[in-house]
Amino acid sequence: MAAVPILMYHSVRDDPPPDTAALSVSPGAFADQMALLKEKGFTPVRLSGPVEDVPKPICITFDDGYADFHSEAMPVLASFGYPATVFVTTGWLDDAGPDAAGRPLDAMLRWGHVREAAEEGIEIGAHSHSHPQLDQLEDGALRDELVRSRLLLEDGIQRPVTTMAYPYGYSSARVRRAVAQAGYATAYVVSNDVASHRSGYAVPRLTVQRSTSLASFERIAEGAHRFYREKALTKGYAVVRRSRYLYRQAMRRD
């Protein structure tokens, strides 16, 4: 199949808190980016949608489930008729109640927002329950994060949830096996590559952040932006995370 760029957003707001600022975009920038997709002939499609005979297909995704997805991003997407996917951290939802878990970084969606988004054609995916580094968890805790988030979402929106994105983009062969065993059909990493496939458990996406100029955004959408620095950092930190996990395992055996 043809390669499909998959864009990865987080927050869309003018005044993000420090913890989310780098991976946020302003509402104005987001609107300009969506307009550029239209101007350049891109056709946003669903993650699982067909791309045969679709001119310049592209996918739009959002991680974490910030409240501004509902207030800022959804109206812009609706004005262009663009589909999108939001990967929700269930324990971070504003009205998670007894299921609250982890430390939300900003104002988060409510269950009503999630249901409304699903009813309006936004695909809902999982992003774990408490947003941990999944590759650092023991097997039992890992399974709980994956299964709990899927079941909560399916109960909340009354639709199957078959896709997820790894918090921080971190995964490993062990994590990917657990994702498959937890009932997901696909899972998304960062990688900052254009996806040559949209199946499996390590589908790459392309980061859009606050420092992304409109010219850079066009290169990202066209698959021409190389992300040299980001890829080098990702590879280096993968080695660090693997070493941390193996060290803890060795300490437990001792």
Side-chain angles (χ1 to χ4, degrees):
M1 76 167 237
V4 180
I6 303 175
L7 305 176
M8 181 188 71
Y9 287 93
H10 287 76
S11 175
V12 181
R13 59 178 288 178
D14 280 319
D15 56 345
D19 284 347
T20 65
L23 287 175
S24 69
V25 298
S26 71
F30 180 67
D32 288 344
Q33 290 163 2
M34 297 301 99
L36 185 141
L37 294 181
K38 182 175 183 179
E39 176 189 338
K40 299 299 179 180
F42 285 94
T43 305
V45 297
R46 301 187 188 285
L47 285 177
S48 57
V51 295
E52 295 77 10
D53 302 320
V54 173
K56 297 181 74 170
I58 195 167
C59 298
I60 304 167
T61 70
F62 295 79
D63 283 8
D64 297 338
Y66 294 108
D68 52 58
F69 174 77
H70 180 267
S71 61
E72 302 291 349
M74 274 182 62
V76 174
L77 292 167
S79 72
F80 287 98
Y82 289 169
T85 298
V86 57
F87 293 107
V88 176
T89 306
T90 46
W92 281 10
L93 289 170
D94 186 62
D95 53 352
D99 293 309
R103 186 180 70 87
L105 302 179
D106 199 358
M108 306 305 293
L109 293 170
R110 298 177 63 83
W111 274 112
H113 296 150
V114 177
R115 285 190 283 271
E116 180 185 337
E119 289 165 3
E120 293 190 10
I122 299 295
E123 181 180 6
I124 305 299
H127 198 47
S128 80
H129 184 63
S130 68
H131 205 277
Q133 297 183 29
L134 294 176
D135 58 349
Q136 300 300 303
L137 298 182
E138 295 298 315
D139 291 346
L142 172 59
R143 176 172 174 78
D144 180 70
E145 284 284 340
L146 298 171
V147 173
R148 190 175 184 185
S149 56
R150 180 176 63 79
L151 294 181
L152 282 170
L153 286 170
E154 290 183 339
D155 183 63
I157 65 174
Q158 293 296 295
R159 291 171 170 81
V161 173
T162 61
T163 189
M164 65 88 62
Y166 303 103
Y168 308 102
Y170 303 160
S171 72
S172 65
R174 181 180 66 95
V175 171
R176 293 189 288 274
R177 286 194 299 271
V179 169
Q181 293 164 0
Y184 295 97
T186 56
Y188 293 80
V189 295
V190 181
S191 292
N192 284 310
D193 284 317
V194 175
S196 59
H197 55 86
R198 287 177 298 154
S199 61
Y201 297 96
V203 183
R205 294 182 293 165
L206 300 157
T207 307
V208 184
Q209 52 193 330
R210 204 160 196 88
S211 61
T212 303
S213 67
L214 196 58
S216 293
F217 177 80
E218 182 177 354
R219 291 195 298 272
I220 290 170
E222 296 282 1
H225 192 75
R226 297 305 174 208
F227 292 100
Y228 293 119
R229 178 177 179 274
E230 291 85 350
K231 289 182 178 180
L233 290 172
T234 297
K235 289 180 180 178
Y237 199 37
V239 174
V240 172
R241 293 196 316 274
R242 178 63 175 164
S243 298
R244 285 176 180 170
Y245 179 75
L246 292 175
Y247 174 76
R248 285 201 297 271
Q249 293 296 98
M251 292 297 291
R252 288 189 178 93
R253 286 194 294 271
D254 292 341

